[in-house]
Amino acid sequence: LMARAASAIRVRPVGSIEGDSPEAVVARIENKLQNGDFKGAQIEWQTLPEKGQAAGADYKRKLDERVTVEELIGSVVSGALNATAKQG
């Protein structure tokens, strides 16, 4: 029973793990997402093997959309702050 339970449970690293293994890359992606570093997660994604990228293509599309939205919001806020500073 224990052997069967152990085979059903998969332990993977979390946090900012060093290395090039898919597990290490995914751990770094997850860590960056938890810290709001969407652009960093997008960059880490590029280091995944093709098979891993293909398996998560839909997720990557959503990540790309989020990065685009974050950049647009940043531009709007920056523009508004600059306009306010010039008026003040």
Side-chain angles (χ1 to χ4, degrees), residues 29-48:
I29 290 170
E30 182 179 30
N31 187 50
K32 289 181 185 309
L33 291 173
Q34 288 175 349
N35 291 308
D37 183 4
F38 301 105
K39 187 71 173 172
Q42 192 180 42
I43 292 167
E44 285 287 350
W45 183 276
Q46 300 304 320
T47 65
L48 281 173

Side-chain angles (χ1 to χ4, degrees), residues 69-83:
V69 168
E70 293 285 333
E71 289 172 349
L72 289 171
I73 290 171
S75 295
V76 169
V77 169
S78 178
L81 290 174
N82 287 336

Side-chain angles (χ1 to χ4, degrees), residues 29-30 33 41 45 55-65:
I29 290 170
E30 182 179 30
L33 291 173
W45 183 276
D58 187 50
Y59 184 81
K60 176 64 164 67
R61 182 183 53 77
K62 291 176 184 177
L63 177 60
D64 290 343
E65 289 171 358

